[in-house]
Amino acid sequence: MNVTVNGNTIDITIEDEQTVGDVLRGLEEEFAKNNATTISIVLNGEKIAADAFDRAAQTPLAADTALELTVVSEGDVTAAFAAEAKASRDIALQLEQIPVQLQSGKDKTANVIITQLADLVDNVCHTASLAALFPDLYAKLAVDGKSITEFFAEFSDILNDFRQALEDKDTVLIGDLAEYEISPRLIALADAVETQG
């Protein structure tokens, strides 16, 4: 049997395990001891969806069984948050310049910042979803006194307004939302996630 975790082959000794599920249970117990959990399973080259897990777990072990796992730890999540906090601060400062850039015809510069904002929001949402796998960490996440879920619900409304303003080419509203609504929230988010480091 060949087992890789995050791309690295690991040595495991098969004792009483008969199925893939037996092996996965043993590995998950070890991961849990290190505040880690499995987020992706590939069995014999096929990614296992959540609804197919029970069937895959019953697969008998064979010499050529190949199991590829992607594992994330609480430390990975806090490290990702730390990097995103720095990016949030950088983009927050740039967003404050968007009104001036739009008024002075520097639309391309403003568009680069807006693209960076979209990428950042995607990354933070992904990291927050991974944080939910660690209930103690997730419960501690609060932004301006709101749970991370409440924060993103409110932030999502503002980002939708921002997207609409971009579609409407309403440069005044784009500038106002960037400077007075989105930028402060990114700084608040950075403050919140930095406390998790």
Side-chain angles (χ1 to χ4, degrees):
M1 178 174 198
N2 182 43
V3 179
T4 61
V5 176
N6 295 343
N8 300 309
T9 301
I10 63 167
D11 290 327
I12 64 165
T13 304
I14 301 299
E15 294 174 351
D16 299 326
E17 295 86 358
Q18 302 291 316
T19 66
V20 168
D22 294 338
V23 172
L24 288 172
R25 273 187 292 281
L27 289 170
E28 194 61 32
E29 286 173 12
E30 287 304 309
F31 298 151
K33 291 176 187 173
N34 296 295
N35 287 332
T37 191
T38 305
I39 57 170
S40 171
I41 300 169
V42 177
L43 175 60
N44 298 327
E46 180 185 341
K47 185 168 174 129
I48 305 302
D51 59 358
F53 176 81
D54 290 342
R55 180 176 46 80
Q58 295 171 10
T59 304
L61 293 181
D64 62 350
T65 299
L67 195 57
E68 302 166 54
L69 306 178
T70 303
V71 174
V72 66
S73 71
E74 189 170 327
D76 295 334
V77 173
T78 55
F81 272 143
E84 289 158 4
K86 182 180 182 312
S88 292
R89 290 192 191 285
D90 291 345
I91 293 172
L93 291 173
Q94 294 178 62
L95 285 168
E96 292 174 3
Q97 302 307 312
I98 281 189
V100 174
Q101 290 164 348
L102 293 175
Q103 289 164 14
S104 57
K106 296 181 179 174
D107 293 19
K108 285 185 179 176
T109 304
N111 287 337
V112 168
I113 297 165
I114 291 165
T115 300
Q116 290 172 340
L117 170 65
D119 292 343
L120 172 68
V121 169
D122 282 347
N123 291 339
V124 172
C125 287
H126 177 69
T127 303
S129 70
L130 292 177
L133 298 171
F134 305 97
D136 291 344
L137 173 63
Y138 196 76
K140 290 189 289 185
L141 287 172
V143 184
D144 277 346
K146 300 179 181 81
S147 73
I148 196 79
T149 305
E150 292 170 322
F151 170 80
F152 276 117
E154 182 182 283
F155 195 30
S156 178
D157 289 341
I158 291 163
L159 292 173
N160 283 333
D161 291 345
F162 190 61
R163 180 183 49 78
Q164 189 62 54
L166 289 168
E167 288 175 6
D168 295 343
K169 296 183 175 25
D170 185 340
T171 55
V172 173
L173 185 55
I174 292 168
D176 284 350
L177 288 171
E179 184 174 3
Y180 301 114
E181 297 291 344
I182 300 172
S183 178
R185 282 176 173 78
L186 289 181
I187 291 170
L189 178 64
D191 289 343
V193 299
E194 281 175 348
T195 65
Q196 304 308 313

